[in-house]
Structure formats: structure tokens, C-alpha cells
């Protein structure tokens, strides 16, 4: 592995630690669990914008910047031997995937909360 990959892995590790430092306390404080399962009827955090949503929006913007920078580098003739191409390739892949997974999880939890609170009677 070259320098760009190693630096990218370090940056991804720092970001993941930062994300978990926000997500774990937020989950413990705001998600209501009964018998080990989430009680969607009492949990309000899925129905409003929270800190984690803001963080995910920032990650999505960072992913777009990484992809556009990578596009610029490749268009200007750089190859995978360039440390910046290595860095932005890895960053773009990781944070695009994380953002998409969070989006799917967020929509799923929001729909479960809506169904629990209002049932199937919504017109």
C-alpha cells in the first residue's frame, strides 16, 4: 500500500471514531428499548432532524467533494500511482457507501415509527 491509501485509512478511522462517539450516546439517550427491542411508538428521534442527520449530510457533501476532486485529478492525466488519486479514491468509496447505508437505515426506521404511531390508517 502506498502513502495515499495509508493516509486515507487513518482519516477514515478518525472519522469513524468521531461518528461512533456521537451515535452511541445518542442511541442510548433517545432510543426507547423494551425487552431488547426498539419501541418505535415511544421513540421520537426518528421523526425529527438530529445531530446524526447533520453529520451524515456533511459526510455526503465530503463524498461529493472527494468524487469531484478525483474526477479532476483523473481528467488532468494523473494515475493511481499519485498519492492524491489513492486518497480520494478510497475516501469517495468509503463515505459514499456509509452515507447510502445510513440513508436506507434512516428511512426504514422513520417508516417503522410512522407505522407504529399511526398504523395503516394514513390516507
Amino acid at each position: 500500500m502506498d502513502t495515499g491509501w495509508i493516509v486515507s485509512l487513518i482519516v477514515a478511522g478518525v472519522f469513524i471514531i468521531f461518528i461512533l462517539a456521537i451515535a452511541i450516546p445518542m442511541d442510548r439517550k433517545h432510543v426507547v428499548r423494551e425487552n431488547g427491542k426498539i419501541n418505535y411508538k415511544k421513540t421520537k428521534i426518528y421523526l425529527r432532524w438530529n445531530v446524526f442527520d447533520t453529520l451524515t449530510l456533511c459526510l455526503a457533501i465530503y463524498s461529493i467533494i472527494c468524487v469531484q476532486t478525483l474526477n479532476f485529478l483523473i481528467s488532468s492525466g494523473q494515475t493511481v500511482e499519485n498519492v492524491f488519486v489513492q486518497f480520494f479514491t478510497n475516501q469517495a468509496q468509503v463515505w459514499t457507501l456509509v452515507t447510502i447505508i445510513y440513508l436506507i437505515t434512516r428511512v426504514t426506521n422513520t417508516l417503522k415509527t410512522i407505522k407504529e404511531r399511526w398504523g395503516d390508517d394514513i390516507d
Side-chain angles (χ1 to χ4, degrees):
M1 288 198 293
D2 288 333
T3 307
W5 291 105
I6 293 170
V7 171
S8 181
L9 290 174
I10 292 169
V11 169
V14 169
F15 279 1
I16 288 173
I17 290 170
F18 181 70
I19 290 168
L20 291 175
I22 292 172
I24 292 172
M26 187 179 75
D27 182 71
R28 289 185 181 161
K29 183 177 179 182
H30 296 288
V31 176
V32 179
R33 297 185 192 278
E34 293 175 353
N35 299 327
K37 293 184 178 182
I38 297 173
N39 185 340
Y40 290 100
K41 200 168 200 171
K42 293 181 182 177
T43 303
K44 297 177 183 178
I45 195 163
Y46 297 128
L47 295 176
R48 58 183 159 190
W49 191 266
N50 58 52
V51 173
F52 205 67
D53 294 327
T54 304
L55 179 66
T56 306
L57 179 63
C58 293
L59 281 177
I61 292 168
Y62 178 71
S63 298
I64 292 168
I65 291 169
C66 287
V67 169
Q68 293 304 318
T69 305
L70 180 63
N71 185 27
F72 174 75
L73 289 170
I74 298 294
S75 298
S76 65
Q78 301 295 327
T79 63
V80 75
E81 282 83 26
N82 185 320
V83 293
F84 293 111
V85 171
Q86 295 170 8
F87 176 82
F88 287 114
T89 300
N90 196 11
Q91 290 293 297
Q93 290 175 355
V94 167
W95 300 119
T96 301
L97 185 63
V98 167
T99 304
I100 290 170
I101 290 170
Y102 177 73
L103 175 67
I104 292 169
T105 305
R106 175 72 169 159
V107 168
T108 303
N109 286 336
T110 302
L111 290 175
K112 285 180 183 177
T113 302
I114 291 170
K115 185 176 180 185
E116 273 297 315
R117 286 178 176 243
W118 294 289
D120 295 325
D121 298 333
I122 300 175
D123 289 331

Coordinates of all heavy atoms in Angstrom, one line a residue, residues 2 12 15-16 19 26 36 52 71 75-76 85 91 93-94 97 100 110 112:
D2 N 0.5 2.2 -0.8 CA 1.2 3.4 -0.9 C 0.7 4.4 0.2 O -0.2 4.2 0.9 CB 1.1 4.0 -2.3 CG 1.9 3.2 -3.3 OD1 2.9 2.6 -2.9 OD2 1.6 3.2 -4.5
A12 N -10.1 7.8 7.6 CA -11.4 7.1 7.7 C -11.6 6.6 9.2 O -12.7 6.6 9.7 CB -11.5 5.9 6.7
F15 N -12.5 9.5 11.4 CA -13.9 9.8 11.1 C -14.9 8.8 11.8 O -15.9 9.2 12.4 CB -14.2 10.0 9.7 CG -13.8 11.2 9.0 CD1 -13.2 12.3 9.7 CD2 -14.1 11.5 7.7 CE1 -12.8 13.4 9.1 CE2 -13.7 12.7 7.1 CZ -13.1 13.6 7.8
I16 N -14.6 7.6 11.7 CA -15.5 6.5 12.2 C -15.5 6.6 13.8 O -16.6 6.5 14.4 CB -15.0 5.1 11.8 CG1 -15.3 4.9 10.3 CG2 -15.6 4.0 12.6 CD1 -14.8 3.7 9.7
I19 N -17.8 9.5 14.5 CA -19.2 9.2 14.3 C -19.7 8.3 15.4 O -20.8 8.6 15.9 CB -19.3 8.5 12.9 CG1 -19.1 9.5 11.8 CG2 -20.7 7.9 12.8 CD1 -18.9 8.9 10.4
M26 N -26.1 9.1 21.6 CA -27.4 9.5 21.2 C -28.4 8.3 21.2 O -29.5 8.5 21.6 CB -27.2 10.1 19.7 CG -28.5 10.7 19.2 SD -28.4 11.4 17.6 CE -28.3 9.9 16.6
G36 N -35.3 -5.4 25.0 CA -34.2 -5.5 24.0 C -34.6 -5.1 22.6 O -33.8 -5.1 21.7
F52 N -27.1 13.5 14.2 CA -26.5 12.5 13.3 C -26.9 12.7 11.8 O -26.2 12.4 10.9 CB -26.9 11.1 13.8 CG -26.0 10.0 13.3 CD1 -24.7 10.0 13.8 CD2 -26.4 9.1 12.4 CE1 -23.8 9.0 13.4 CE2 -25.5 8.1 12.0 CZ -24.2 8.0 12.5
N71 N -12.3 13.1 -9.9 CA -12.6 13.4 -11.4 C -11.6 14.4 -12.0 O -11.1 14.1 -13.1 CB -14.0 13.8 -11.5 CG -14.5 14.0 -12.9 OD1 -14.0 13.3 -13.8 ND2 -15.4 14.8 -13.2
S75 N -9.0 13.5 -14.9 CA -9.1 14.2 -16.1 C -7.8 14.9 -16.5 O -7.5 15.2 -17.7 CB -10.2 15.3 -16.0 OG -11.4 14.6 -15.8
S76 N -7.0 15.3 -15.5 CA -5.8 16.0 -15.7 C -4.6 15.1 -16.0 O -3.5 15.5 -16.1 CB -5.4 17.0 -14.6 OG -5.2 16.3 -13.4
V85 N -4.7 10.7 -5.9 CA -5.7 9.8 -6.5 C -6.0 8.6 -5.6 O -7.2 8.2 -5.4 CB -5.2 9.3 -7.9 CG1 -6.1 8.2 -8.4 CG2 -5.0 10.4 -8.9
Q91 N -11.4 7.5 -0.1 CA -12.4 8.3 0.7 C -13.7 8.3 0.0 O -14.8 8.2 0.6 CB -11.8 9.7 0.8 CG -10.7 9.9 1.7 CD -11.0 9.6 3.2 OE1 -11.8 10.3 3.8 NE2 -10.5 8.5 3.7
Q93 N -15.1 6.1 -2.0 CA -15.8 4.8 -1.9 C -16.3 4.6 -0.5 O -17.5 4.2 -0.3 CB -14.8 3.7 -2.2 CG -14.4 3.6 -3.6 CD -13.3 2.5 -3.8 OE1 -12.8 1.9 -2.9 NE2 -13.0 2.3 -5.1
V94 N -15.5 4.9 0.5 CA -16.0 4.6 1.9 C -17.2 5.5 2.3 O -18.2 5.0 2.8 CB -14.8 4.9 2.9 CG1 -15.3 4.9 4.3 CG2 -13.7 3.8 2.7
L97 N -20.5 4.9 0.4 CA -21.2 3.7 1.0 C -21.8 3.9 2.3 O -23.0 3.5 2.6 CB -20.1 2.5 1.0 CG -20.7 1.2 1.4 CD1 -21.7 0.7 0.4 CD2 -19.5 0.2 1.6
I100 N -25.0 6.0 2.0 CA -26.1 5.3 1.4 C -26.7 4.3 2.4 O -27.9 4.2 2.6 CB -25.7 4.6 0.1 CG1 -25.5 5.6 -1.0 CG2 -26.8 3.5 -0.3 CD1 -24.8 5.0 -2.2
T110 N -37.7 5.5 10.2 CA -38.7 6.5 10.1 C -40.1 5.9 9.7 O -41.1 6.2 10.3 CB -38.4 7.7 9.2 OG1 -37.1 8.2 9.6 CG2 -39.4 8.7 9.2
K112 N -41.0 2.8 10.1 CA -41.5 1.9 11.2 C -42.1 2.7 12.3 O -43.1 2.3 12.8 CB -40.3 1.1 11.7 CG -39.8 -0.1 10.9 CD -38.7 -0.8 11.5 CE -38.1 -1.9 10.7 NZ -37.0 -2.5 11.3

